[in-house]
């Protein structure tokens, strides 16, 4: 509930006006009559929300990991599979073997599944190439998706996702990421942000810190996979660098939360990964709430820990597994997701001057977006006024 307004900041009998792809009017429909619109569309009492934003995905990759899913059902853990060279590295092999065209073709059905549920902006990470040319190919394929479909694409460089087999140790690989890969990706203008996987099976906080310093020296914002499987205070480190978001954050503690509150870093919750890995430690939602840390939620769509391309199921899971309210969950895929991308001046709410990205729903009340499982009430989707 907003301090002095309707729940969900709703306008019960509202209208939205659009000019040149931007929102030119938002308010009571009675007040919209003075505007002379070229075209008027009657939504017949349906709910209109901002277009949904999936602010954390690994949507572009080759192959799949169904065999690993079977291994995990037989008792192998995600960490054990990763240490044995499976997991992320098996997707790296498949991604390196795919050309740009193949990556685009493999990714379009996954993107289409998101768009069918009202998504208008998607963040896509690299991190399955782990060598300069393959990382660049992955990011180019991601950007191309934005030409193939009516959707905003934000790309994030995640070269520090895992150590590729060609490198002896994570330290020498991070040197390579900093010295060669990041500058090359940046020179091509392919990264809107820089991310890393801070974890026992991936990169240490000290290594991430070196990467973040390099990102900042290029003027790139940072975000971090932090406190997913253990508590290393990656979230505190991220906050120190003014990160847009710290993601997963199941193991974040009170000191991490305080640091994030101070820096305005968004907590991006990823219930699909929590569910798939059958984790039991939920993120400290109450601490985030009390500290005023904005919470975003996202699919984390990836072939290993979250083969999930339903934003509506993600909203449901955030409520059922993490106890977000339906209103918090909706803010998590709109306003706060926009913040997690540093794009809140442009998208995420229905406000004058922002892009006219909307989702129109066949629902009686917004809680239905969180409550149903496996039902899609989207009526129509508007991207930049179209
Ligand atoms: O967000 N945590 C690291 N990265 C992904 C998993 C990637 C994979 O297993 O392929 C995640 O969960
Ligand atoms: Fe992820």
């Amino acid at each position: 509930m907003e301090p002095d307004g309707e729940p969900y900041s709703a306008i019960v009998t509202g209208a939205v006006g659009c000019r040149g792809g931007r929102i030119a009017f938002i308010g009571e429909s009675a007040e919209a009559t003075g505007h002379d619109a070229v075209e008027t569309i009657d939504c017949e009492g349906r709910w209109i929300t901002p277009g949904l934003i999936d602010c954390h995905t690994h949507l572009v990759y080759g192959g799949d990991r169904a065999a690993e899913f079977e291994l995990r059902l037989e008792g192998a853990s995600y960490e054990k599979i990763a240490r044995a060279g499976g997991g992320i590295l098996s997707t790296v092999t498949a991604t390196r073997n795919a050309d740009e065209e193949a990556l685009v073709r493999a990714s379009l059905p996954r993107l289409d599944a998101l768009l069918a549920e009202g998504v208008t902006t998607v963040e896509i990470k690299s991190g399955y190439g782990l060598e300069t040319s393959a990382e660049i190919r992955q990011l180019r394929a991601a950007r191309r998706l934005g030409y193939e479909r009516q959707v905003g694409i934000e790309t994030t460089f995640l070269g520090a996702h895992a150590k590729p087999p060609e490198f002896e140790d994570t330290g020498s690989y991070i040197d390579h990421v900093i010295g060669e890969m990041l500058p090359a990706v940046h020179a091509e203008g392919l990264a809107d942000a820089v991310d890393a996987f801070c974890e026992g099976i991936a990169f240490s906080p000290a290594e991430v810190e070196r990467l973040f310093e390099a990102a900042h020296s290029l003027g790139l914002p940072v975000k971090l996979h932090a406190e997913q499987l253990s508590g290393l205070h990656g979230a505190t480190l991220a906050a120190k660098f003014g990160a847009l978001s710290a993601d997963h954050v199941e193991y974040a503690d009170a000191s991490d939360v305080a640091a994030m509150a101070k820096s305005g870093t968004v907590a991006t919750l990823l219930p699909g990964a929590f569910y798939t890995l059958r984790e039991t430690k939920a993120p400290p939602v109450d601490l985030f709430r009390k500290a005023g840390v904005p919470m975003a939620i996202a699919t984390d769509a990836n072939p290993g820990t979250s083969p999930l391309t339903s934003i509506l199921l993600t909203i449901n899971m955030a409520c059922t597994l993490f106890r977000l309210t339906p209103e918090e969950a909706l803010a998590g895929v709109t306003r706060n997701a926009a913040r997690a991308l540093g794009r809140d001046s442009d998208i995420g709410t229905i406000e004058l001057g922002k892009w006219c990205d909307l989702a129109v729903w066949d629902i009686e009340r917004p809680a239905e977006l969180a409550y149903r499982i496996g039902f899609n009430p989207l009526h129509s989707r508007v991207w930049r006024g179209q």
Side-chain angles (χ1 to χ4, degrees), residues 256-274:
D256 296 313
V257 175
M260 289 169 69
K262 208 169 142 211
S263 62
T265 297
V266 173
T268 298
L269 311 181
L270 305 168
F274 176 89

Side-chain angles (χ1 to χ4, degrees), residues 185-204:
V185 164
H186 180 62
E188 301 245 353
L190 284 170
D192 299 310
V194 174
D195 194 349
F197 186 17
C198 186
E199 191 60 63
I201 55 169
F203 299 94
S204 69

